[in-house]
């Protein structure tokens, strides 16, 4: 029996994703998702090996959802209690100024994560609920919080500071924190490994393009800028989020359109981005609409690419040139057209994409630039669960050392 099993939990407001990962070998032993928590038509979908089992029925709360999921481990012949789970790793969205490395969870840590809820009202309360449920169900297993903001904790002040009243900003914790840090760190590490180089030798731009999307500039292993800010709303155009807008728009909507703060929150987080412009947030559906000649979908795509290129340009300058540009996450790993269009016409910067390499289907890390190009353009699959599992295991080991 392996002794590097980690249960990774990503707890959202009405869903919990989980994965049992062998942190040494990197495989997912089992995984699943609890959805529609708090509803009468809840559902747990559990995958173990080639088997998928499902439970449907009311799920009152996160604790009940996780208990059902744990029951499904047992049902599939792999009870968690006997699996020798070494640690539970929790994805926690906002670590604020307090947390910048994986942290073994205690009552005090839970309280501090709770206190950070003002900065991440949609995410941190759900993360805390997941933590409390897992602690109750697995009281003897060490639990570790891995923060989405941690990789960007050391951003230079010039990159993390908003140009607003400094005292007010300090009082309310207003600064640029950045998110998706676990993915940016993991992918930049994998990119270096793929190239047979040390992260400390490379200047990298990582483009994490999923439903949420963010870019980062990494100077010899240290993040010096990223596109998300106080919240995951800033930066690139996303599936349903606007990314950068003139903050005056918020004031205008409030004053002239009579929208409440909650209406504007809903607009910018859930009804904007690709969805706001085209009606769909999934890139595959967007591509289909474009193929059908839908002009709104084409505009959404053009705005998405325009924003992406703007960040790539900014980061090339901030880094003083890049050695590596890496695409990752759902869109970045799968959309050859986004990759080609994002880097089109940049030959004079040493950036090129080889058409045959870019369009070849693959699920593993690969180079899509010609070998002769100065900048290595890569596609690297992200694996946040594995990164969290490894971080949790390391934190557990060092805390018991
Ligand atoms: P999340 O931010 O939810 O983790 P993912 O990284 O899973 O998102 O990315 C999800 C997005 O990836 C989907 O909304 C879809 O637009 C895009 N995607 C997935 N597969 C493909 C594909 N084959 N081609 C283009 N886009 C894809």
């Amino acid at each position: 029996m392996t002794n590097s099993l980690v249960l990774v939990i990503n707890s959202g407001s009405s869903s919990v994703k989980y994965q049992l990962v062998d942190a040494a070998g990197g495989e997912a032993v089992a995984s699943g998702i609890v959805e529609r928590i708090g509803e009468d038509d809840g559902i747990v979908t559990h995958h173990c090996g080639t088997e998928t089992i499902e439970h449907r029925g009311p799920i009152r709360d996160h604790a009940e959802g996780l208990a059902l999921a744990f029951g499904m481990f047992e049902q599939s012949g792999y009870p968690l209690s006997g699996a020798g789970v070494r640690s539970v790793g929790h994805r926690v969205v906002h670590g604020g100024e307090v947390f910048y490395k994986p942290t073994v969870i205690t009552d005090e840590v839970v309280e501090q994560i709770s206190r950070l809820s003002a900065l991440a009202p949609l995410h941190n309360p759900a993360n805390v609920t997941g933590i409390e449920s897992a602690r109750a169900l697995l009281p003897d297993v060490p639990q570790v919080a891995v923060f989405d903001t941690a990789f960007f904790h050391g951003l230079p002040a010039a990159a993390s500071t908003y140009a607003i009243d400094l005292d007010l900003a300090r009082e309310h914790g207003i600064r640029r924190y950045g998110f998706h840090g676990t993915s940016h760190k993991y992918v930049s590490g994998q990119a270096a490994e793929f190239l047979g180089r040390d992260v400390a030798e490379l200047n990298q731009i990582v483009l994490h393009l999923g439903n949420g999307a963010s870019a980062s500039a990494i100077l010899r292993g240290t993040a010096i800028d990223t596109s998300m800010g106080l919240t995951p709303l800033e930066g690139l155009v996303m599936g349903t989020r606007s990314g950068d807008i003139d903050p005056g728009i918020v004031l205008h909507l409030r004053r002239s359109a009579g929208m409440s703060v909650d209406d504007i929150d809903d607009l910018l987080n859930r009804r904007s981005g690709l969805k706001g412009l085209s009606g769909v947030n999934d890139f595959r559906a967007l591509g289909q609409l474009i193929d059908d000649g839908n002009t709104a979908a084409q505009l959404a795509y053009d705005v998405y690419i325009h924003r992406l290129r703007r960040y790539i340009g900014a980061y090339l300058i901030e880094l003083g040139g890049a050695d590596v540009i890496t695409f990752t996450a759902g869109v970045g790993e799968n959309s050859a057209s986004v990759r080609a269009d994002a880097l089109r016409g940049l030959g004079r910067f040493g950036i090129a994409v080889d058409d045959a390499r870019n369009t070849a289907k693959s699920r593993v890390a690969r180079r899509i630039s010609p070998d002769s190009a100065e900048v290595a353009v890569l596609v690297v699959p992200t694996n946040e669960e594995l990164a969290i599992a490894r971080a949790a295991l390391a934190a557990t080991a060092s805390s018991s050392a």
Side-chain angles (χ1 to χ4, degrees):
M1 188 172 293
T2 174
N3 66 353
S4 49
L5 283 178
V6 178
L7 180 66
V8 175
I9 293 182
N10 182 353
S11 178
S13 55
S14 65
S15 70
V16 180
K17 289 186 202 154
Y18 60 89
Q19 199 173 98
L20 184 64
V21 182
D22 176 0
E27 312 84 48
V29 179
S31 65
I33 179 165
V34 184
E35 290 170 284
R36 305 186 62 79
I37 295 171
E39 310 278 333
D40 285 338
D41 55 348
I43 173 165
V44 187
T45 314
H46 181 84
H47 311 279
C48 189
T50 53
E51 197 189 356
T52 296
I53 49 179
E54 218 178 69
H55 168 93
R56 285 172 186 271
I59 302 176
R60 250 184 335 224
D61 51 26
H62 286 69
E64 186 176 356
L66 265 186
L68 283 166
F70 283 18
M72 290 169 92
F73 275 96
E74 212 158 315
Q75 208 180 315
S76 62
Y78 201 93
L80 272 182
S81 50
V85 176
R86 287 277 308 282
S87 174
V88 180
H90 293 270
R91 176 182 186 218
V92 179
V93 168
H94 219 306
E97 307 257 20
V98 189
F99 297 109
Y100 51 91
K101 54 183 181 195
T103 304
V104 175
I105 293 171
T106 59
D107 291 344
E108 199 195 335
V109 169
V110 177
E111 201 182 301
Q112 280 173 308
I113 295 172
S114 254
R115 258 189 259 135
L116 291 168
S117 292
L119 291 171
L122 296 177
H123 296 105
N124 274 35
N127 299 154
V128 167
T129 313
I131 290 171
E132 284 172 338
S133 307
R135 287 179 92 197
L137 286 162
L138 291 172
D140 300 327
V141 181
Q143 316 236 347
V144 177
V146 180
F147 298 91
D148 233 26
T149 46
F151 186 52
F152 302 116
H153 184 262
L155 286 185
S160 65
T161 306
Y162 289 108
I164 62 169
D165 182 292
L166 210 47
D167 293 333
L168 190 70
R170 285 208 181 111
E171 189 187 338
H172 294 280
I174 298 172
R175 49 158 280 181
R176 306 189 63 254
Y177 292 95
F179 299 87
H180 289 152
T182 304
S183 177
H184 285 273
K185 183 174 182 210
Y186 174 79
V187 166
S188 55
Q190 293 295 112
E193 200 169 293
F194 175 84
L195 295 169
R197 306 276 300 276
D198 195 309
V199 278
E201 302 169 348
L202 297 169
N203 288 352
Q204 304 199 42
I205 296 175
V206 175
L207 305 166
H208 176 112
L209 310 176
N211 262 321
S214 61
S216 67
I218 304 169
L219 183 78
R220 298 191 285 278
T222 301
I224 60 161
D225 208 349
T226 191
S227 57
M228 286 176 165
L230 172 72
T231 74
L233 185 53
E234 192 180 340
L236 301 175
V237 174
M238 309 181 213
T240 65
R241 287 176 235 159
S242 62
D244 296 336
I245 57 165
D246 177 349
I249 294 173
V250 174
L251 311 180
H252 187 67
L253 289 171
R254 185 81 189 90
R255 291 193 185 117
S256 305
M259 290 175 73
S260 69
V261 169
D262 286 345
D263 289 341
I264 299 171
D265 186 335
D266 185 59
L267 174 78
L268 298 179
N269 276 298
R270 282 175 286 278
R271 293 189 285 123
S272 294
L274 298 175
K275 190 173 177 65
L277 290 170
S278 73
V280 297
N281 64 295
D282 191 292
F283 236 87
R284 288 159 290 196
L286 188 79
Q288 191 57 55
L289 288 175
I290 292 171
D291 290 346
D292 294 344
N294 183 305
T295 51
Q298 184 64 55
L299 176 64
Y301 182 83
D302 294 345
V303 174
Y304 184 96
I305 296 293
H306 178 265
R307 184 80 49 83
L308 191 53
R309 287 172 66 86
R310 183 194 275 180
Y311 271 93
I312 293 166
Y315 291 172
L316 280 172
I317 298 297
E318 286 187 43
L319 291 167
D323 302 300
V324 195
I325 299 177
T326 303
F327 291 87
T328 192
V331 177
E333 290 168 33
N334 292 297
S335 175
S337 67
V338 164
R339 297 191 295 256
D341 290 335
L343 300 179
R344 196 174 299 287
L346 302 182
R348 67 156 61 189
F349 301 103
I351 298 168
V353 170
D354 177 273
D355 193 42
R357 286 183 175 181
N358 185 35
T359 51
K361 294 259 175 282
S362 169
R363 297 241 149 261
V364 297
R366 59 202 182 271
R367 183 196 296 260
I368 58 168
S369 49
D371 291 336
S372 57
E374 203 180 315
V375 178
V377 181
L378 308 181
V379 179
V380 173
T382 192
N383 191 341
E384 287 168 282
E385 289 78 13
L386 177 58
I388 291 172
R390 288 186 174 155
L393 200 58
T396 307
S398 65
S399 79
S400 59

